[in-house]
């Protein structure tokens, strides 16, 4: 019998401006990058859904009709699988493999990209017609399990791709043609978005007079960032990114490893840079106006600190079904 394999993917992201402030209704700007998460679905041979992720628990297969024995990273995906089973059951169960080009828990949106790619592939599996809006809404439900009170920016950019200006759930597409090289370095310092968002929330509750002006300033930087991006003013973009980073440090989500990486970026000619995502570890992004300097930064980070960095590009490709292919068995 021929069995269908459905492969859908969604991009990771970089937040150029506005993380954390976006949780409180201020704007943020995110871009999709050329690294993706893939969700490959076929019919399960068992009478329950199965999930494998090459990055979690060495690719061990888990049955997904129960929650007690699955890794906590799978809880949000369990939510999605259950939502589909409830509304679209057809007596077939999905067997899902997740593959990823993105490091996990590093600020590059791997959890949102996974939820978005999984949603699209399950919609195809159950032959349900899903708009982009609906895919993003489903993935947002999963993000809430993973991150507590997320703003929704991560699932939105993973769904639509390109660049977006995001404010209170509303999006404006940005046509970004930044004539610059983006370099991302992964500090490998583990952190949790949920805990960092919670940390800022507590700081804000206890010290609104300190935190509210910082969030407001971040919002202003984001708005200035739109203008700088629209006019391809990379010096201004870099300057604003660095300012945004300093404000994130004031919010308490910096880390000395991130500062060390940023120093190497500055020494090698970066125009500006910042942490991206929730901070507390994870990735740093910097912009360069030439490939030589960018390459020098990548080499220096690797040789001096053993840190892997890479060039990345803004990708207009949002969630997509890459292929549907058949296996003879
Ligand atoms: C996470 O990528 C960005 C945060 O602003 C959280 C959120 O927006 O949900 C820290």
């Amino acid at each position: 019998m021929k069995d269908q394999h459905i492969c859908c993917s969604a991009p990771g992201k970089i937040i150029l401006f506005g993380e954390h402030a976006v949780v409180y209704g201020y704007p943020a700007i995110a871009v999709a990058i050329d690294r993706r998460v893939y969700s490959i679905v076929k019919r399960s041979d068992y009478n329950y859904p199965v999930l494998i992720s090459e990055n979690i628990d060495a690719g061990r297969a888990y049955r997904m009709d129960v929650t007690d024995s699955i890794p906590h990273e799978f809880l949000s995906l369990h939510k999605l699988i259950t939502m589909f089973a409830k509304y679209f059951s057809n007596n077939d169960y999905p067997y899902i493999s997740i593959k990823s080009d993105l490091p996990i828990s590093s600020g590059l949106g791997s959890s949102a990209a996974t939820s978005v790619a999984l949603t699209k592939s399950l919609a195809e599996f159950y032959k349900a017609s899903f708009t982009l809006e609906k895919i993003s809404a489903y993935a947002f439900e999963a993000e809430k399990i993973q991150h507590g009170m997320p703003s929704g920016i991560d699932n939105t950019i993973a769904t639509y791709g390109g660049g977006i200006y995001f404010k209170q759930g509303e999006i404006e597409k940005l046509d970004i043609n930044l004539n610059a090289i983006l370099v991302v370095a992964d500090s490998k310092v583990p952190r949790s978005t949920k805990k960092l968002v919670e940390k800022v929330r507590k700081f804000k509750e206890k010290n609104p007079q300190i935190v509210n002006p910082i969030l407001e300033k971040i919002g202003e930087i984001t708005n200035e960032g739109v203008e700088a991006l629209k006019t391809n003013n990379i010096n201004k973009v870099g300057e604003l990114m660095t300012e945004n980073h300093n404000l994130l440090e004031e919010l308490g989500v910096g880390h000395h490893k991130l500062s060390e990486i940023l120093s190497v970026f500055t020494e090698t000619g970066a125009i500006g840079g910042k942490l991206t995502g929730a901070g507390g570890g994870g990735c740093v992004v910097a912009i360069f106006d030439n490939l030589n300097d960018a390459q020098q930064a990548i080499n220096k980070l690797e040789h001096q600190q053993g840190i892997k960095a890479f060039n990345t590009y803004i990708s207009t490709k949002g969630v997509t079904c890459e292929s549907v292919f058949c296996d003879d068995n």
Side-chain angles (χ1 to χ4, degrees):
M1 184 191 162
K2 283 193 178 211
D3 228 359
Q4 260 196 354
H5 292 228
I6 297 155
C7 174
C8 299
S9 73
K13 63 93 192 15
I14 286 171
I15 295 186
L16 287 178
F17 302 107
E19 51 273 267
H20 286 290
V22 69
V23 173
Y24 301 96
Y26 294 98
I29 297 173
V31 293
I33 58 171
D34 57 346
R35 293 191 169 219
R36 305 180 71 83
V37 175
Y38 300 83
S39 170
I40 300 135
V41 180
K42 61 179 183 172
R43 194 161 49 83
S44 174
D45 290 336
Y46 311 96
N47 59 354
Y48 48 81
V50 175
L51 181 77
I52 294 177
S53 172
E54 62 182 9
N55 287 333
I56 313 278
D57 215 356
R60 196 182 134 189
Y62 282 93
R63 59 184 292 175
M64 294 295 284
D65 54 340
V66 287
T67 50
D68 44 359
S69 56
I70 62 175
H72 71 95
E73 294 92 340
F74 283 3
L75 286 175
S76 53
L77 306 181
H78 171 270
K79 167 87 182 174
L80 285 175
I81 293 165
T82 311
M83 280 163 73
F84 272 95
K86 187 166 164 202
Y87 296 116
F88 303 102
S89 176
N90 62 2
N91 294 326
D92 281 342
Y93 296 89
Y95 187 99
I96 305 150
S97 309
I98 303 291
K99 297 183 189 300
S100 177
D101 300 335
L102 292 167
I104 56 170
S105 286
S106 65
L108 298 183
S110 96
S111 76
T114 305
S115 295
V116 168
L118 176 62
T119 301
K120 173 79 176 157
S121 59
L122 288 178
E124 296 289 323
F125 178 76
Y126 287 108
K127 298 191 173 28
S129 170
F130 267 42
T131 59
L132 290 179
E133 209 179 349
K134 191 160 176 180
I135 292 172
S136 186
Y138 263 56
F140 187 48
E141 293 305 309
E143 283 287 278
K144 284 192 226 164
I145 303 243
Q146 189 80 6
H147 298 315
M149 289 280 286
S151 63
I153 192 170
D154 288 10
N155 49 285
T156 305
I157 190 66
T159 303
Y160 292 93
I164 56 166
Y165 175 87
F166 180 99
K167 190 176 177 193
Q168 293 173 342
E170 299 289 320
I171 56 169
E172 186 191 319
K173 282 265 203 185
L174 295 177
D175 189 15
I176 299 175
N177 294 302
L178 198 61
N179 195 10
I181 295 131
L182 290 171
V183 178
V184 174
D186 187 356
S187 69
K188 297 261 183 209
V189 176
R191 76 320 164 265
S192 141
T193 298
K194 192 175 193 166
K195 286 190 184 142
L196 286 149
V197 169
E198 188 61 14
K199 182 177 173 184
V200 173
R201 193 181 61 75
K202 284 197 178 133
F203 187 21
K204 178 172 155 55
E205 271 170 18
K206 277 202 184 137
N207 302 283
Q209 74 290 0
I210 298 175
V211 174
N212 290 342
I214 298 175
L215 298 175
E216 200 154 309
K217 185 76 194 119
I218 292 176
E220 284 165 21
I221 285 176
T222 301
N223 285 330
E224 284 184 61
V226 177
E227 280 320 301
L229 286 166
K230 280 186 180 163
T231 51
N232 198 14
N233 184 346
I234 53 174
N235 286 327
K236 188 70 186 170
V237 172
E239 186 191 306
L240 291 168
M241 284 170 75
T242 304
E243 249 187 81
N244 192 161
H245 178 81
N246 295 340
L247 290 163
L248 287 164
E249 281 197 331
E250 286 180 34
L251 277 184
V253 297
H255 188 279
H256 69 89
K257 199 76 204 164
L258 304 181
S259 311
E260 282 165 32
I261 294 172
L262 274 170
S263 299
V264 174
F265 278 139
T266 309
E267 283 159 25
T268 46
I271 299 169
K274 61 185 274 294
L275 66 83
T276 183
C283 287
V284 175
V285 58
I287 62 166
F288 289 83
D289 62 3
N290 73 81
L291 209 49
N292 279 346
D293 287 353
Q295 195 54 52
Q296 208 202 327
I298 292 170
N299 295 343
K300 201 165 178 184
L301 281 168
E302 169 115 47
H303 293 135
Q304 284 188 356
Q305 305 196 16
I307 286 200
K308 286 249 177 285
F310 56 89
N311 289 347
T312 191
Y313 300 92
I314 298 173
S315 169
T316 52
K317 189 169 152 190
V319 65
T320 189
C321 207
E322 303 280 344
S323 58
V324 175
F325 54 95
C326 294
D327 247 7
D328 284 316
N329 53 19

